[in-house]
Coordinates of all heavy atoms in Angstrom, one line a residue:
M1 N -107.9 -22.3 33.4 CA -106.5 -22.2 33.9 C -105.6 -21.8 32.7 O -105.7 -22.4 31.6 CB -106.1 -23.5 34.5 CG -104.8 -23.3 35.3 SD -104.3 -24.7 36.4 CE -105.7 -25.3 37.2
P2 N -104.7 -20.9 32.8 CA -103.8 -20.5 31.7 C -103.0 -21.8 31.3 O -102.6 -22.6 32.0 CB -102.9 -19.5 32.4 CG -103.7 -18.9 33.4 CD -104.5 -20.0 34.0
T3 N -102.7 -21.7 30.0 CA -101.9 -22.8 29.3 C -100.6 -22.3 28.9 O -100.4 -21.1 28.4 CB -102.7 -23.4 28.1 OG1 -104.0 -23.8 28.6 CG2 -101.9 -24.5 27.4
F4 N -99.5 -23.1 29.0 CA -98.2 -22.8 28.6 C -97.6 -23.9 27.8 O -97.8 -25.1 28.1 CB -97.3 -22.6 29.8 CG -97.8 -21.5 30.7 CD1 -98.7 -21.7 31.7 CD2 -97.3 -20.2 30.6 CE1 -99.2 -20.7 32.5 CE2 -97.8 -19.1 31.4 CZ -98.7 -19.4 32.3
V5 N -97.0 -23.6 26.7 CA -96.3 -24.6 25.9 C -94.8 -24.4 26.2 O -94.2 -23.3 26.1 CB -96.5 -24.3 24.4 CG1 -95.7 -25.3 23.5 CG2 -98.0 -24.5 24.1
T6 N -94.2 -25.5 26.6 CA -92.8 -25.5 26.9 C -92.0 -26.4 26.0 O -92.3 -27.6 25.8 CB -92.6 -26.0 28.4 OG1 -93.3 -25.2 29.3 CG2 -91.1 -26.0 28.8
L7 N -91.0 -25.8 25.3 CA -90.1 -26.5 24.4 C -88.8 -26.8 25.2 O -88.2 -26.0 25.8 CB -89.7 -25.5 23.3 CG -90.9 -24.9 22.6 CD1 -90.4 -23.9 21.5 CD2 -91.8 -26.0 21.9
L8 N -88.5 -28.1 25.2 CA -87.4 -28.6 26.0 C -86.3 -29.2 25.2 O -86.6 -29.9 24.2 CB -87.9 -29.7 27.0 CG -89.0 -29.2 28.0 CD1 -90.0 -30.2 28.2 CD2 -88.3 -28.7 29.2
N9 N -85.1 -29.0 25.6 CA -83.9 -29.7 25.0 C -83.2 -30.4 26.1 O -82.9 -29.8 27.2 CB -83.0 -28.6 24.3 CG -83.5 -28.2 23.0 OD1 -83.9 -29.0 22.2 ND2 -83.6 -26.9 22.8
W10 N -82.8 -31.6 25.8 CA -81.9 -32.4 26.7 C -80.6 -31.7 26.8 O -80.0 -31.3 25.9 CB -81.8 -33.8 26.2 CG -82.9 -34.7 26.5 CD1 -83.9 -34.6 27.4 CD2 -83.3 -35.8 25.8 NE1 -84.8 -35.6 27.4 CE2 -84.5 -36.4 26.3 CE3 -82.8 -36.5 24.7 CZ2 -85.1 -37.5 25.9 CZ3 -83.4 -37.7 24.2 CH2 -84.5 -38.2 24.8
T11 N -80.0 -31.7 28.0 CA -78.6 -31.4 28.3 C -77.8 -32.7 28.0 O -78.4 -33.7 27.7 CB -78.4 -31.0 29.7 OG1 -78.8 -32.1 30.6 CG2 -79.3 -29.8 30.1
E12 N -76.5 -32.6 28.1 CA -75.7 -33.7 27.9 C -76.0 -34.8 28.9 O -76.1 -36.0 28.6 CB -74.2 -33.4 28.0 CG -73.7 -32.6 26.8 CD -73.8 -33.3 25.5 OE1 -73.5 -34.5 25.4 OE2 -74.2 -32.6 24.6
Q13 N -76.3 -34.4 30.1 CA -76.7 -35.4 31.2 C -78.1 -36.0 30.8 O -78.2 -37.2 30.9 CB -76.9 -34.6 32.5 CG -77.5 -35.5 33.6 CD -77.7 -34.7 34.9 OE1 -76.7 -34.1 35.3 NE2 -78.9 -34.8 35.5
G14 N -79.0 -35.2 30.3 CA -80.3 -35.8 29.9 C -80.2 -36.8 28.7 O -80.9 -37.8 28.7
V15 N -79.3 -36.5 27.8 CA -79.1 -37.5 26.7 C -78.5 -38.7 27.2 O -78.9 -39.8 26.8 CB -78.2 -36.8 25.6 CG1 -77.8 -37.9 24.6 CG2 -78.9 -35.7 24.9
R16 N -77.5 -38.6 28.1 CA -76.9 -39.8 28.7 C -77.9 -40.7 29.4 O -77.8 -41.9 29.3 CB -75.8 -39.4 29.6 CG -74.4 -39.2 29.0 CD -73.3 -39.2 30.1 NE -73.6 -38.3 31.2 CZ -73.4 -37.0 31.3 NH1 -72.8 -36.4 30.3 NH2 -73.6 -36.3 32.4
D17 N -78.9 -40.1 30.0 CA -79.8 -40.8 30.8 C -81.2 -40.9 30.0 O -82.2 -41.0 30.7 CB -80.0 -40.1 32.1 CG -78.8 -40.2 33.0 OD1 -78.0 -41.1 32.8 OD2 -78.6 -39.2 33.8
Y18 N -81.1 -41.0 28.7 CA -82.4 -41.0 27.9 C -83.3 -42.1 28.3 O -84.5 -42.0 28.2 CB -82.1 -41.0 26.4 CG -81.5 -42.4 26.0 CD1 -82.4 -43.4 25.5 CD2 -80.2 -42.6 26.0 CE1 -81.9 -44.6 25.1 CE2 -79.7 -43.8 25.5 CZ -80.6 -44.8 25.1 OH -80.1 -46.0 24.7
K19 N -82.8 -43.2 28.8 CA -83.6 -44.4 29.1 C -84.6 -44.1 30.3 O -85.6 -44.7 30.5 CB -82.8 -45.6 29.5 CG -82.0 -46.2 28.3 CD -81.2 -47.3 28.7 CE -80.4 -47.8 27.6 NZ -79.5 -48.9 27.9
D20 N -84.3 -43.0 31.1 CA -85.1 -42.6 32.2 C -86.1 -41.5 31.8 O -86.8 -41.0 32.7 CB -84.3 -42.1 33.3 CG -83.4 -43.2 33.9 OD1 -83.8 -44.4 33.9 OD2 -82.3 -42.9 34.5
T21 N -86.3 -41.2 30.5 CA -87.1 -40.0 30.2 C -88.5 -40.1 30.5 O -89.2 -39.2 31.0 CB -86.9 -39.7 28.7 OG1 -87.5 -38.4 28.4 CG2 -87.4 -40.8 27.8
V22 N -89.1 -41.3 30.4 CA -90.5 -41.5 30.8 C -90.7 -41.3 32.3 O -91.6 -40.6 32.8 CB -91.1 -42.8 30.3 CG1 -92.5 -43.1 30.8 CG2 -91.1 -42.9 28.8
R23 N -89.8 -41.9 33.1 CA -89.9 -41.8 34.5 C -89.7 -40.3 34.9 O -90.4 -39.8 35.8 CB -88.8 -42.7 35.2 CG -88.9 -42.6 36.7 CD -87.6 -43.2 37.4 NE -86.4 -42.6 36.9 CZ -85.9 -41.4 37.3 NH1 -86.6 -40.7 38.1 NH2 -84.7 -41.0 36.8
R24 N -88.8 -39.6 34.3 CA -88.6 -38.2 34.6 C -89.8 -37.4 34.3 O -90.2 -36.5 35.0 CB -87.4 -37.7 33.8 CG -86.1 -38.2 34.3 CD -84.8 -37.5 33.8 NE -84.8 -37.2 32.4 CZ -83.9 -37.8 31.6 NH1 -83.0 -38.6 32.0 NH2 -83.9 -37.4 30.3
S25 N -90.5 -37.7 33.2 CA -91.7 -37.0 32.8 C -92.8 -37.2 33.8 O -93.6 -36.3 34.2 CB -92.2 -37.3 31.4 OG -92.8 -38.6 31.4
E26 N -92.9 -38.4 34.4 CA -93.9 -38.7 35.4 C -93.5 -37.9 36.7 O -94.4 -37.4 37.4 CB -93.9 -40.2 35.7 CG -94.5 -41.0 34.5 CD -94.3 -42.5 34.6 OE1 -93.5 -43.0 35.5 OE2 -94.8 -43.2 33.7
A27 N -92.3 -37.8 37.0 CA -91.8 -37.1 38.2 C -92.1 -35.6 38.0 O -92.6 -34.9 38.9 CB -90.4 -37.3 38.5
F28 N -91.9 -35.1 36.8 CA -92.3 -33.7 36.5 C -93.8 -33.4 36.7 O -94.2 -32.5 37.3 CB -91.8 -33.4 35.1 CG -92.1 -32.0 34.6 CD1 -91.8 -30.9 35.4 CD2 -92.8 -31.8 33.4 CE1 -92.1 -29.6 35.0 CE2 -93.1 -30.5 33.0 CZ -92.7 -29.4 33.8
A29 N -94.6 -34.4 36.2 CA -96.0 -34.2 36.3 C -96.4 -34.2 37.8 O -97.3 -33.4 38.2 CB -96.7 -35.4 35.6
A30 N -95.8 -35.1 38.6 CA -96.1 -35.1 40.0 C -95.7 -33.8 40.7 O -96.4 -33.3 41.5 CB -95.4 -36.3 40.7
G31 N -94.6 -33.2 40.3 CA -94.1 -32.0 40.8 C -95.0 -30.8 40.5 O -95.3 -29.9 41.3
L32 N -95.5 -30.8 39.3 CA -96.5 -29.8 38.8 C -97.7 -29.9 39.7 O -98.3 -28.9 40.1 CB -96.8 -30.0 37.4 CG -95.8 -29.5 36.3 CD1 -96.2 -30.1 34.9 CD2 -95.8 -28.0 36.3
Q33 N -98.2 -31.1 39.9 CA -99.4 -31.3 40.7 C -99.3 -30.7 42.1 O -100.2 -30.1 42.6 CB -99.8 -32.8 40.7 CG -101.2 -33.0 41.1 CD -101.6 -34.5 40.8 OE1 -100.8 -35.4 40.7 NE2 -102.9 -34.7 40.8
K34 N -98.1 -30.9 42.7 CA -97.9 -30.4 44.0 C -98.0 -28.9 44.1 O -98.3 -28.3 45.1 CB -96.5 -30.9 44.5 CG -96.5 -32.4 44.9 CD -95.1 -32.7 45.4 CE -95.0 -34.2 45.7 NZ -93.7 -34.7 46.1
L35 N -97.6 -28.3 43.0 CA -97.7 -26.8 42.9 C -99.0 -26.3 42.4 O -99.2 -25.1 42.3 CB -96.6 -26.3 42.0 CG -95.1 -26.5 42.5 CD1 -94.2 -26.1 41.4 CD2 -94.9 -25.7 43.7
G36 N -100.0 -27.2 42.1 CA -101.3 -26.7 41.7 C -101.4 -26.6 40.2 O -102.3 -26.0 39.7
A37 N -100.5 -27.2 39.5 CA -100.5 -27.2 38.0 C -100.7 -28.6 37.4 O -100.8 -29.5 38.2 CB -99.2 -26.6 37.5
K38 N -100.8 -28.7 36.1 CA -101.0 -30.0 35.5 C -100.3 -30.1 34.2 O -100.3 -29.2 33.4 CB -102.5 -30.1 35.2 CG -102.9 -31.4 34.5 CD -104.4 -31.5 34.3 CE -104.7 -32.8 33.5 NZ -106.1 -32.8 33.0
L39 N -99.6 -31.3 34.0 CA -99.0 -31.6 32.7 C -100.1 -32.2 31.9 O -100.5 -33.3 32.0 CB -97.9 -32.6 32.9 CG -97.1 -33.0 31.6 CD1 -96.5 -31.8 31.0 CD2 -96.1 -34.1 31.9
R40 N -100.6 -31.4 30.9 CA -101.7 -31.8 30.1 C -101.3 -32.8 29.0 O -101.9 -33.8 28.8 CB -102.4 -30.6 29.4 CG -103.8 -30.8 29.1 CD -104.5 -29.6 28.8 NE -104.2 -29.2 27.4 CZ -104.5 -28.0 26.9 NH1 -105.1 -27.1 27.7 NH2 -104.1 -27.7 25.7
D41 N -100.1 -32.6 28.4 CA -99.5 -33.5 27.4 C -98.0 -33.3 27.4 O -97.5 -32.2 27.7 CB -100.1 -33.2 26.0 CG -101.4 -33.8 25.8 OD1 -101.6 -35.0 26.0 OD2 -102.3 -33.0 25.4
I42 N -97.3 -34.3 27.0 CA -95.9 -34.2 26.7 C -95.6 -35.1 25.5 O -96.2 -36.2 25.3 CB -95.0 -34.7 27.9 CG1 -93.6 -34.3 27.6 CG2 -95.2 -36.1 28.3 CD1 -92.7 -34.3 28.9
Y43 N -94.8 -34.5 24.6 CA -94.4 -35.2 23.4 C -92.9 -35.3 23.2 O -92.3 -34.3 23.5 CB -95.0 -34.5 22.2 CG -96.5 -34.3 22.2 CD1 -97.1 -33.2 22.7 CD2 -97.4 -35.3 21.8 CE1 -98.5 -33.0 22.8 CE2 -98.7 -35.2 21.9 CZ -99.3 -34.1 22.4 OH -100.7 -33.9 22.5
W44 N -92.4 -36.4 22.8 CA -91.0 -36.5 22.5 C -90.9 -36.2 21.0 O -91.7 -36.8 20.2 CB -90.5 -37.9 22.8 CG -90.4 -38.1 24.3 CD1 -89.2 -38.0 25.0 CD2 -91.4 -38.4 25.3 NE1 -89.4 -38.2 26.3 CE2 -90.8 -38.4 26.5 CE3 -92.8 -38.5 25.2 CZ2 -91.5 -38.7 27.7 CZ3 -93.5 -38.8 26.4 CH2 -92.8 -38.8 27.6
T45 N -90.0 -35.3 20.6 CA -90.0 -34.9 19.2 C -88.6 -35.0 18.6 O -87.6 -35.2 19.3 CB -90.4 -33.4 19.1 OG1 -89.5 -32.6 20.0 CG2 -91.8 -33.2 19.6
V46 N -88.5 -34.9 17.3 CA -87.3 -35.0 16.6 C -87.2 -33.6 15.8 O -88.1 -33.2 15.2 CB -87.3 -36.1 15.5 CG1 -86.0 -36.1 14.7 CG2 -87.5 -37.5 16.3
G47 N -86.0 -33.0 15.9 CA -85.9 -31.7 15.3 C -85.2 -30.8 16.3 O -84.4 -31.2 17.1
P48 N -85.5 -29.5 16.2 CA -84.8 -28.5 17.1 C -85.1 -28.7 18.6 O -84.3 -28.2 19.4 CB -85.2 -27.1 16.6 CG -86.4 -27.4 15.7 CD -86.4 -28.8 15.3
Y49 N -86.2 -29.3 18.9 CA -86.5 -29.5 20.3 C -86.7 -31.0 20.6 O -87.1 -31.8 19.7 CB -87.8 -28.8 20.7 CG -87.6 -27.3 20.6 CD1 -88.1 -26.6 19.4 CD2 -86.9 -26.6 21.5 CE1 -87.8 -25.3 19.3 CE2 -86.7 -25.2 21.4 CZ -87.1 -24.6 20.2 OH -86.9 -23.2 20.0
D50 N -86.3 -31.5 21.8 CA -86.4 -32.9 22.1 C -87.8 -33.3 22.7 O -88.2 -34.4 22.6 CB -85.3 -33.3 23.1 CG -83.9 -33.0 22.5 OD1 -83.7 -33.5 21.4 OD2 -83.1 -32.4 23.1
L51 N -88.4 -32.3 23.4 CA -89.7 -32.6 24.0 C -90.5 -31.3 23.9 O -90.0 -30.2 23.9 CB -89.6 -32.9 25.5 CG -88.8 -34.2 25.8 CD1 -87.4 -33.8 26.3 CD2 -89.5 -35.0 26.8
V52 N -91.9 -31.5 23.9 CA -92.8 -30.4 24.0 C -93.8 -30.7 25.1 O -94.4 -31.8 25.0 CB -93.5 -30.1 22.6 CG1 -94.6 -29.0 22.8 CG2 -92.5 -29.8 21.5
A53 N -93.9 -29.9 26.0 CA -94.9 -30.1 27.1 C -96.0 -29.0 27.1 O -95.7 -27.8 26.8 CB -94.2 -30.0 28.5
V54 N -97.2 -29.4 27.3 CA -98.3 -28.5 27.5 C -98.7 -28.5 28.9 O -99.1 -29.6 29.5 CB -99.5 -28.9 26.5 CG1 -100.6 -27.9 26.7 CG2 -99.0 -29.0 25.1
I55 N -98.6 -27.4 29.6 CA -98.8 -27.3 31.0 C -100.0 -26.3 31.3 O -100.1 -25.2 30.7 CB -97.5 -26.8 31.7 CG1 -96.4 -27.7 31.4 CG2 -97.8 -26.5 33.2 CD1 -95.0 -27.1 31.7
E56 N -100.8 -26.7 32.2 CA -101.8 -25.8 32.8 C -101.4 -25.4 34.2 O -101.1 -26.2 35.0 CB -103.2 -26.4 32.8 CG -103.8 -26.7 31.4 CD -105.2 -27.3 31.5 OE1 -105.5 -27.8 32.6 OE2 -105.9 -27.3 30.5
A57 N -101.4 -24.1 34.4 CA -100.9 -23.6 35.7 C -101.8 -22.4 36.1 O -102.2 -21.6 35.2 CB -99.5 -23.2 35.7
P58 N -102.0 -22.1 37.4 CA -102.8 -20.9 37.8 C -102.2 -19.6 37.3 O -102.9 -18.6 37.1 CB -102.9 -21.1 39.3 CG -101.9 -22.1 39.7 CD -101.5 -22.9 38.5
D59 N -100.9 -19.6 37.2 CA -100.2 -18.3 36.8 C -98.8 -18.6 36.3 O -98.3 -19.7 36.4 CB -100.2 -17.3 38.0 CG -99.7 -18.0 39.2 OD1 -98.6 -18.6 39.2 OD2 -100.4 -17.8 40.3
A60 N -98.2 -17.5 35.8 CA -96.8 -17.7 35.2 C -95.8 -18.0 36.3 O -94.8 -18.7 36.1 CB -96.4 -16.4 34.5
E61 N -96.0 -17.5 37.5 CA -95.1 -17.7 38.6 C -95.1 -19.2 39.0 O -94.0 -19.8 39.2 CB -95.5 -16.9 39.9 CG -95.3 -15.5 39.8 CD -96.4 -14.7 39.1 OE1 -97.5 -15.4 38.7 OE2 -96.3 -13.5 38.8
T62 N -96.2 -19.9 39.0 CA -96.3 -21.3 39.3 C -95.5 -22.1 38.2 O -94.8 -23.0 38.6 CB -97.7 -21.8 39.4 OG1 -98.4 -21.0 40.4 CG2 -97.8 -23.3 39.7
V63 N -95.8 -21.8 37.0 CA -95.1 -22.6 35.9 C -93.6 -22.3 35.9 O -92.8 -23.2 35.7 CB -95.8 -22.4 34.5 CG1 -95.3 -21.1 33.9 CG2 -95.4 -23.5 33.6
T64 N -93.2 -21.1 36.2 CA -91.8 -20.8 36.3 C -91.1 -21.5 37.5 O -90.1 -22.1 37.3 CB -91.6 -19.3 36.5 OG1 -92.2 -18.6 35.3 CG2 -90.1 -18.9 36.6
A65 N -91.8 -21.6 38.6 CA -91.3 -22.3 39.8 C -91.1 -23.8 39.4 O -90.0 -24.4 39.7 CB -92.2 -22.2 41.0
S66 N -92.0 -24.4 38.7 CA -91.9 -25.8 38.4 C -90.8 -26.0 37.4 O -90.1 -27.0 37.4 CB -93.2 -26.3 37.8 OG -93.6 -25.7 36.6
L67 N -90.6 -25.1 36.4 CA -89.5 -25.3 35.5 C -88.2 -25.0 36.1 O -87.2 -25.6 35.6 CB -89.8 -24.3 34.3 CG -91.0 -24.8 33.4 CD1 -91.4 -23.7 32.4 CD2 -90.8 -26.1 32.7
L68 N -88.1 -24.2 37.1 CA -86.8 -24.0 37.8 C -86.5 -25.3 38.5 O -85.3 -25.7 38.5 CB -86.9 -22.9 38.8 CG -86.9 -21.5 38.2 CD1 -87.2 -20.4 39.3 CD2 -85.5 -21.2 37.6
Q69 N -87.5 -26.0 39.2 CA -87.2 -27.3 39.8 C -86.7 -28.3 38.8 O -85.8 -29.0 39.0 CB -88.5 -27.8 40.5 CG -88.9 -27.0 41.7 CD -90.2 -27.5 42.3 OE1 -91.0 -28.2 41.6 NE2 -90.5 -27.1 43.5
L70 N -87.4 -28.3 37.6 CA -87.0 -29.2 36.5 C -85.6 -29.0 36.1 O -84.8 -29.9 35.9 CB -88.0 -29.1 35.4 CG -87.8 -30.0 34.2 CD1 -87.9 -31.5 34.6 CD2 -88.7 -29.7 33.1
A71 N -85.3 -27.7 35.8 CA -83.9 -27.3 35.3 C -82.9 -27.7 36.3 O -81.8 -28.1 36.0 CB -83.9 -25.9 35.0
G72 N -83.2 -27.6 37.6 CA -82.3 -27.9 38.7 C -81.9 -29.4 38.7 O -80.8 -29.7 39.3
M73 N -82.6 -30.2 38.1 CA -82.3 -31.6 38.0 C -81.2 -31.9 37.0 O -80.5 -32.9 36.9 CB -83.5 -32.5 37.7 CG -84.5 -32.5 38.8 SD -85.9 -33.4 38.4 CE -87.1 -32.9 39.6
G74 N -81.0 -30.9 36.1 CA -79.9 -31.0 35.1 C -80.1 -31.7 33.8 O -79.2 -31.9 33.1
N75 N -81.3 -32.1 33.6 CA -81.6 -32.9 32.4 C -82.1 -32.2 31.2 O -81.9 -32.6 30.0 CB -82.6 -34.1 32.7 CG -82.0 -35.0 33.7 OD1 -80.9 -35.6 33.5 ND2 -82.7 -35.2 34.8
V76 N -82.7 -31.0 31.4 CA -83.3 -30.2 30.3 C -83.1 -28.7 30.5 O -82.9 -28.3 31.6 CB -84.8 -30.5 30.1 CG1 -85.0 -32.0 29.6 CG2 -85.6 -30.2 31.3
R77 N -83.2 -28.0 29.4 CA -83.3 -26.6 29.4 C -84.6 -26.3 28.7 O -85.0 -27.0 27.8 CB -82.1 -25.9 28.7 CG -80.8 -26.2 29.3 CD -80.7 -25.4 30.6 NE -79.4 -25.7 31.3 CZ -79.3 -26.4 32.4 NH1 -80.4 -27.0 32.9 NH2 -78.2 -26.7 33.0
S78 N -85.3 -25.2 29.1 CA -86.6 -24.9 28.5 C -86.8 -23.5 28.0 O -86.1 -22.6 28.4 CB -87.7 -25.2 29.6 OG -87.6 -24.3 30.6
T79 N -87.8 -23.4 27.1 CA -88.3 -22.2 26.6 C -89.8 -22.3 26.7 O -90.4 -23.3 26.3 CB -87.9 -21.9 25.1 OG1 -86.5 -21.9 25.0 CG2 -88.5 -20.6 24.6
T80 N -90.4 -21.3 27.4 CA -91.9 -21.4 27.6 C -92.6 -20.3 27.0 O -92.2 -19.1 27.0 CB -92.1 -21.5 29.2 OG1 -91.4 -22.6 29.7 CG2 -93.6 -21.6 29.5
L81 N -93.8 -20.7 26.4 CA -94.6 -19.7 25.7 C -96.0 -19.7 26.3 O -96.6 -20.8 26.5 CB -94.8 -20.1 24.2 CG -93.4 -20.4 23.5 CD1 -93.7 -21.2 22.2 CD2 -92.7 -19.2 23.2
P82 N -96.6 -18.6 26.6 CA -98.0 -18.6 27.0 C -98.9 -19.0 25.8 O -98.5 -18.6 24.7 CB -98.3 -17.2 27.5 CG -97.2 -16.4 26.9 CD -96.1 -17.2 26.6
A83 N -99.9 -19.8 26.0 CA -100.8 -20.2 24.9 C -102.2 -19.8 25.2 O -102.7 -19.9 26.3 CB -100.7 -21.7 24.7
F84 N -102.9 -19.4 24.1 CA -104.3 -18.9 24.3 C -105.3 -19.8 23.4 O -105.0 -20.0 22.2 CB -104.4 -17.4 23.9 CG -103.4 -16.6 24.6 CD1 -102.3 -16.2 24.0 CD2 -103.7 -16.2 25.9 CE1 -101.4 -15.4 24.7 CE2 -102.8 -15.4 26.6 CZ -101.6 -15.0 26.0
G85 N -106.3 -20.2 24.0 CA -107.4 -20.9 23.3 C -108.3 -19.9 22.5 O -108.1 -18.7 22.7
R86 N -109.2 -20.5 21.8 CA -110.1 -19.6 21.0 C -110.9 -18.6 21.8 O -110.9 -17.4 21.4 CB -111.1 -20.5 20.3 CG -112.1 -19.8 19.4 CD -113.1 -20.7 18.7 NE -112.4 -21.7 17.9 CZ -112.3 -21.7 16.6 NH1 -112.8 -20.7 15.9 NH2 -111.7 -22.7 16.0
E87 N -111.5 -18.9 22.9 CA -112.2 -18.0 23.7 C -111.3 -16.9 24.3 O -111.6 -15.7 24.4 CB -113.0 -18.7 24.8 CG -114.1 -19.5 24.3 CD -114.8 -20.3 25.4 OE1 -114.6 -20.0 26.6 OE2 -115.6 -21.2 25.1
E88 N -110.1 -17.3 24.7 CA -109.1 -16.4 25.3 C -108.7 -15.4 24.3 O -108.6 -14.2 24.5 CB -107.9 -17.1 25.9 CG -108.3 -18.0 27.1 CD -107.2 -18.9 27.4 OE1 -106.7 -19.7 26.5 OE2 -106.8 -19.0 28.6
I89 N -108.4 -15.8 23.0 CA -107.9 -14.9 22.0 C -109.0 -14.0 21.6 O -108.8 -12.8 21.2 CB -107.2 -15.6 20.8 CG1 -106.3 -14.6 20.1 CG2 -108.2 -16.3 19.9 CD1 -105.1 -14.1 20.8
D90 N -110.3 -14.5 21.6 CA -111.4 -13.6 21.3 C -111.5 -12.5 22.3 O -111.7 -11.3 21.9 CB -112.8 -14.4 21.3 CG -113.0 -15.2 20.0 OD1 -112.4 -14.8 19.0 OD2 -113.9 -16.1 20.1
R91 N -111.3 -12.7 23.6 CA -111.3 -11.7 24.6 C -110.2 -10.7 24.4 O -110.3 -9.5 24.5 CB -111.3 -12.3 26.0 CG -112.6 -12.9 26.4 CD -112.6 -13.3 27.9 NE -111.5 -14.1 28.4 CZ -111.5 -15.4 28.4 NH1 -112.6 -16.1 27.9 NH2 -110.5 -16.1 28.8
I92 N -109.0 -11.3 24.1 CA -107.8 -10.4 23.8 C -108.0 -9.5 22.7 O -107.7 -8.3 22.7 CB -106.6 -11.3 23.7 CG1 -106.2 -12.0 25.0 CG2 -105.4 -10.5 23.2 CD1 -105.2 -13.1 24.9
V93 N -108.6 -10.0 21.6 CA -108.8 -9.2 20.4 C -109.9 -8.1 20.7 O -109.7 -7.0 20.3 CB -109.3 -10.1 19.2 CG1 -109.8 -9.3 18.0 CG2 -108.1 -11.0 18.7
A94 N -110.9 -8.5 21.5 CA -111.9 -7.5 21.8 C -111.3 -6.4 22.6 O -111.6 -5.2 22.4 CB -113.0 -8.2 22.6
K95 N -110.4 -6.7 23.6 CA -109.7 -5.6 24.3 C -108.8 -4.8 23.4 O -108.8 -3.5 23.6 CB -108.8 -6.3 25.4 CG -109.6 -6.7 26.6 CD -108.6 -7.3 27.7 CE -109.4 -7.8 28.8 NZ -108.5 -8.3 29.9
A96 N -108.2 -5.4 22.5 CA -107.3 -4.6 21.6 C -108.0 -3.7 20.7 O -107.5 -2.7 20.3 CB -106.4 -5.6 20.8
T97 N -109.2 -4.1 20.3 CA -110.0 -3.3 19.3 C -111.0 -2.3 20.0 O -111.7 -1.6 19.3 CB -110.7 -4.2 18.3 OG1 -111.6 -5.1 19.1 CG2 -109.8 -5.0 17.5
G98 N -110.9 -2.3 21.3 CA -111.7 -1.3 22.0 C -113.1 -1.6 22.3 O -113.9 -1.0 22.7

C-alpha cells in the first residue's frame, strides 16, 4: 500500500486544546481506517512541525480525503509527501533508466 508522510502544524485552536492531542490522533486513526487507510505512526515533534504522521492508503485520493476531514476539525494544517520504500524506489529507478 502506498505510504505518505504528513507534516502537521497546530492551528491556534489546536494549541489551545493541546491536552486533547492524543485523543485527536486516535480519532484520526479511526477515520483513516474507515476510509481503508492506516495510521502507521505518529510523532509529536519540536521544531518547524508539531507532528509527523506516517500513513498507508490505497491511493492519493484516499489520503487527501482523510486529511480534508482532519483539517475540517480546525486543529491542524498539513503538508503531505508521497514516500517510497527500497523496493519501490528500485522499480522507479529501473523505469527512469529504461
Side-chain angles (χ1 to χ4, degrees):
M1 191 171 319
T3 301
F4 300 86
V5 174
T6 300
L7 308 172
L8 298 145
N9 282 310
W10 282 333
T11 61
E12 290 300 316
Q13 174 182 309
V15 171
R16 273 193 312 273
D17 297 333
Y18 71 91
K19 292 179 183 178
D20 294 331
T21 188
V22 172
R23 182 192 55 75
R24 291 193 313 245
S25 72
E26 292 166 352
F28 178 52
L32 281 166
Q33 195 168 20
K34 287 180 183 176
L35 293 173
K38 178 182 177 188
L39 181 61
R40 208 166 74 192
D41 281 304
I42 189 164
Y43 302 96
W44 286 260
T45 58
V46 177
Y49 299 98
D50 298 311
L51 301 103
V52 176
V54 180
I55 301 166
E56 290 180 345
D59 50 49
E61 290 84 3
T62 301
V63 78
T64 301
S66 67
L67 292 168
L68 284 170
Q69 289 177 344
L70 181 64
M73 294 178 194
N75 294 305
V76 293
R77 298 288 176 253
S78 66
T79 300
T80 301
L81 312 163
F84 305 100
R86 181 182 302 258
E87 290 178 13
E88 293 165 311
I89 200 65
D90 278 343
R91 287 192 305 271
I92 292 167
V93 169
K95 282 183 182 182
T97 57

